[in-house]
Amino acid sequence: MLNNIGLPGLLLIAVVVLVLFGRGKISSLMGEVGKGITAFKKGVSDGTKELEDGSDSVEHRQARDEMPAPAVHTDKEKS
């Protein structure tokens, strides 16, 4: 059904939406959609960064646990 819309159909839909809602309302709606997309992208990148940071800390903890503890020297041992 949607395969046969074509360019004239899309233009007709755009004109009807413009007449019904007006230019100002559509402009503000598109601004909100843009803000939503930007927030979504920021959330995805923050989540990815958090996952990468979390995996790095796990790797560092595993490496730290595998390393032997450093030797502690006291003043009594030197005399």
Side-chain angles (χ1 to χ4, degrees):
M1 180 177 164
L2 294 178
N3 296 339
N4 298 330
I5 289 179
L7 185 60
L10 290 176
L11 289 175
L12 180 63
I13 292 170
V15 168
V16 168
V17 168
L18 185 61
V19 168
L20 288 176
F21 295 106
R23 194 178 122 212
K25 186 71 171 177
I26 292 174
S27 176
S28 66
L29 179 66
M30 290 298 113
E32 293 299 319
V33 168
K35 288 177 186 176
I37 291 172
T38 303
F40 177 77
K41 287 182 180 180
K42 184 177 184 278
V44 168
S45 75
D46 288 348
T48 303
K49 190 184 302 182
E50 184 177 313
L51 286 176
E52 289 173 354
D53 290 346
S55 66
D56 286 344
S57 65
V58 169
E59 291 170 359
H60 285 108
R61 275 188 266 137
Q62 288 174 346
R64 185 187 66 219
D65 292 343
E66 291 173 1
M67 291 174 38
V72 178
H73 297 286
T74 61
D75 291 334
K76 292 180 182 179
E77 292 176 358
K78 291 182 181 179
S79 32

